[in-house]
Amino acid sequence: MAVVVFQSLSIQCCLQTQQQHKTEIHQQRRPLNLQISSSSKSGELSTTHKVFDEIPHSVDTFAWNTLIQTHLGNGAHDHVISIYRTMLLRGVHPDKHTLPRVLTASRLSGSFFCGKQIHGHTLKLGFGSDQYVVTALMEMYGRHDGAAAARRLFDQSSRKNSVSWTLMAGLYIIEDKPNLAIETFHQMLKLGAENVDAVALSTVLSACGRLKSLQEGKKVHEIARKRELEFDVLVSNSLLKMYLDCGSIKDARLVFDRMHSKDVISWTAILSGYVKNGGFNEGLKLFRLMNSEGIKPDSFSVSSVLPACARISARKHGREIHAYTLRNGVDSNIAVQNAQIDMYMKSGCSESASKIFVRMREKDTISWTIMILGYSLHGQGRLGVELFQKMMNMRVRIDDTVYVAVLCACNTARMVEEGKSYFKFIRAPKIEHYSLMVSLLGRAGHFDEARSFIDEHQIEWHKEVQRALLAGCRIHRNTKMAKRVIERLTELEPLNAENYLLLSNMYAANAKWDVVKNLRELIRDMDLRPKKAYTWIEIRNKVHVFGVGDVSHPRSERIYYELQSLMKKMKEGEGYIPDRDFGFHDVDEERECIPIGHSEMLAISFGLISTQVGTTLRITKNLRVCHNCHSSAKMISKIVGREIILKDPDRFHHFKDGICSCEDFW
DNA sequence: TTAGGGTTAG
């Protein structure tokens, strides 16, 4: 931070000095200007500075301004201040071009004190009402003291233009007051409609997005259309983002498809929009299309598409994109590296993720969070807790999401006391933190404590909390409490079919068929659509999908034969007895079906007959795996001597040598 | 010679 004291310098003295050297300036200005301009354009700062050192005292302000501009453009803000000081010391008079630049430099270097001194200079020199000076001052005070401070300067200024109006609107957005930003834009329209330009439209569109107001956004879209600015790339990209922020991917796509020219930002915005809204395959498709149209992806586009690979466990695509980042030099970007770690973790390759994490030159809070969550996902909660301890020791910034991650890790590792102590550190816990604490206590079987915790924090009427409690009931087969929880869930989410199915399955387990019949009728009458269970397995670049009792696969006969033979081995060699209790299961159809017809069993069997001995099988299920399949998968891993990695919505199960990484707590 | 703006990761 530059702390420069100018008060000792006399502006009056500078004025006199300049008068004295007026003749010399005229004689020497031209050759010096040329020298500075050519060096500045080449961006060679050291050369520029050498030239600057050679400038005689009599040189005019233009050369100094050019030098200042070069350093400002290169982000050398402190240096700009030093040059300004030298300029004053040499008696050169700052002008209306110098002052906004040094004000900007002092704002960007965080030297508000210095900025205030320069404000004094602008008044003494009579540039207080220059438009560029006013906007620089507005931005400085606005960012430091808030929008109200900028507003005072703005209201006092006699000549307002599109830049000052837009700046004012932008400051309101920073303060999360999008309504005021939109109001400012409309005031500008009313008072000086000819001023509206692409940047003004872009700013107000961002405010509409923040407000999630499709109505306001469409009004601005109409204004852009009328002023023929709709297809300006900045405006189009802002419209795209506004529609995405307002949740209308359809309108965003319409803007994208109609754009005359698309840049890397347009492509990144739309593909990121799809990925964030669950359109993982469409996101990947757009990424490929972008490449084929000759738009080179940058760190932003790569970080936007990698979560799609993570979510659909598309290791192959993820690896290809990873290779692309290495070839194109974007792999050292921290956001890209974080997205890569997340992708590898979520597609089952925790080792590849760890390698990147270890090699990272710089790690931020997000990098650590991804690793802690990743370890929890793979049943290595203890490693996650250790990482959190390390992170604290290294004084890395801890935020709410890191606490979510470490509480997840404590859950996985069943480290109740550690979880309790970390929870105490959270200043303002959110419902996610409370739910994780309830889950931690419930999974450990501490139901009385979980109840007291819920009462103490008055969080009973949150579906997340009830679901967390249900997880504990499942593990400990606490049917009595589970019934109460599910009944509460049906009150909280009357349109969620899953809750009625859980209830129905619990009554079925107790042979209360009349209640089961009533619940099924209720589901039908309310026209609720329960989820169906599916499992995917990728064999030689082709994805095979299996439903419950599926016989549609061309190798179906062989798949069932393999399963029958495995079942025989499990019964004879491992003493396996299928569990008929589906009381805690989320789908109805699987209870009706014999366990070997469950989708994950079919996928495992197909994987075994389609790959070489010893190959690891990787499968993904859209719903939670049932107890029978979990036990079967453990035994199969031992019988066939293979690792089976099964991903369900909450975690990875690594079945190996007859045991699972989740230690049967899922 | 100068200002205000649009895309990323947990």
Side-chain angles (χ1 to χ4, degrees), chain A residues 439-459:
Chain A
S439 174
L440 182 65
L441 296 168
R443 283 160 60 92
H446 302 177
F447 289 107
D448 289 340
E449 206 179 341
R451 271 272 149 235
S452 310
F453 184 87
I454 291 171
D455 293 341
E456 184 193 337
H457 297 285
Q458 300 178 335
I459 46 172

Side-chain angles (χ1 to χ4, degrees), chain A residues 109-120:
Chain A
S109 67
S111 7
F112 184 62
F113 175 70
C114 164
K116 283 209 287 193
Q117 286 182 303
I118 301 167
H119 184 187

Side-chain angles (χ1 to χ4, degrees), chain A residues 105-229:
Chain A
S106 53
R107 168 172 62 82
L108 294 172
S109 67
S111 7
F112 184 62
F113 175 70
C114 164
K116 283 209 287 193
Q117 286 182 303
I118 301 167
H119 184 187
H121 297 176
T122 68
L123 299 175
K124 279 185 184 172
L125 292 163
F127 292 117
S129 53
D130 175 84
Q131 288 185 72
Y132 290 87
V133 170
V134 170
T135 46
L137 285 169
M138 274 174 67
E139 184 137 35
M140 186 182 81
Y141 284 106
R143 299 246 180 194
H144 191 269
D145 293 337
R151 186 79 205 199
R152 282 192 286 276
L153 283 164
F154 178 69
D155 288 339
Q156 283 162 15
S157 67
S158 53
R159 292 176 64 196
K160 298 174 178 63
N161 62 14
S162 178
V163 178
S164 52
W165 279 105
T166 307
L167 178 55
M168 212 48 250
L171 288 169
Y172 286 133
I173 294 175
I174 292 170
E175 290 189 358
D176 204 21
K177 293 170 182 163
N179 270 320
L180 275 179
I182 296 168
E183 196 185 308
T184 306
F185 173 77
H186 288 292
Q187 276 173 355
M188 171 173 85
L189 279 185
K190 213 169 155 187
L191 299 170
E194 74 282 357
N195 280 332
V196 176
D197 60 13
V199 183
L201 286 165
S202 168
T203 306
V204 69
L205 283 166
S206 148
C208 299
R210 282 279 187 104
L211 200 62
K212 299 196 185 305
S213 169
L214 200 57
Q215 199 191 358
E216 288 295 337
K218 287 201 167 179
K219 268 195 231 169
V220 180
H221 192 164
E222 192 48 37
I223 293 166
R225 194 173 292 142
K226 280 187 182 153
R227 287 170 191 264
E228 296 181 348
L229 281 166

Side-chain angles (χ1 to χ4, degrees), chain A residues 335-480:
Chain A
V336 170
Q337 288 178 326
N338 287 345
Q340 279 169 350
I341 297 176
D342 194 45
M343 180 273 295
Y344 280 122
M345 275 295 188
K346 288 185 177 148
S347 44
C349 308
S350 51
E351 282 150 21
S352 304
S354 304
K355 273 184 198 162
I356 300 175
F357 180 75
V358 170
R359 286 182 198 152
M360 276 174 96
R361 265 193 223 152
E362 191 196 344
K363 299 176 181 73
D364 63 8
T365 303
I366 297 179
S367 328
W368 292 87
T369 312
I370 294 168
M371 286 300 292
I372 298 169
L373 278 171
Y375 280 135
S376 314
L377 199 64
H378 287 275
Q380 294 170 296
R382 200 161 281 278
L383 282 179
V385 172
E386 280 171 20
L387 219 52
F388 179 74
Q389 289 287 2
K390 202 171 167 187
M391 184 181 179
M392 287 215 293
N393 295 341
M394 289 172 74
R395 302 201 173 274
V396 181
R397 188 179 60 86
I398 309 281
D399 64 13
D400 278 358
T401 319
V402 186
Y403 280 120
V404 168
V406 74
L407 290 179
C408 277
C410 292
N411 250 289
T412 309
R414 299 193 298 285
M415 295 166 78
V416 181
E417 291 312 312
E418 287 81 353
K420 282 193 215 169
S421 67
Y422 295 142
F423 181 77
K424 283 181 194 156
F425 293 151
I426 311 174
R427 275 192 203 151
K430 293 182 177 156
I431 200 66
E432 216 175 346
H433 301 115
Y434 287 122
S435 307
L436 282 161
M437 282 307 292
V438 171
S439 174
L440 182 65
L441 296 168
R443 283 160 60 92
H446 302 177
F447 289 107
D448 289 340
E449 206 179 341
R451 271 272 149 235
S452 310
F453 184 87
I454 291 171
D455 293 341
E456 184 193 337
H457 297 285
Q458 300 178 335
I459 46 172
E460 189 173 4
W461 291 98
H462 287 274
K463 57 180 190 289
E464 299 87 347
V465 171
Q466 295 296 340
R467 286 207 180 284
L469 199 53
L470 186 63
C473 297
R474 269 178 165 143
I475 290 167
H476 296 280
R477 304 249 171 158
N478 185 339
T479 319
K480 201 175 153 194

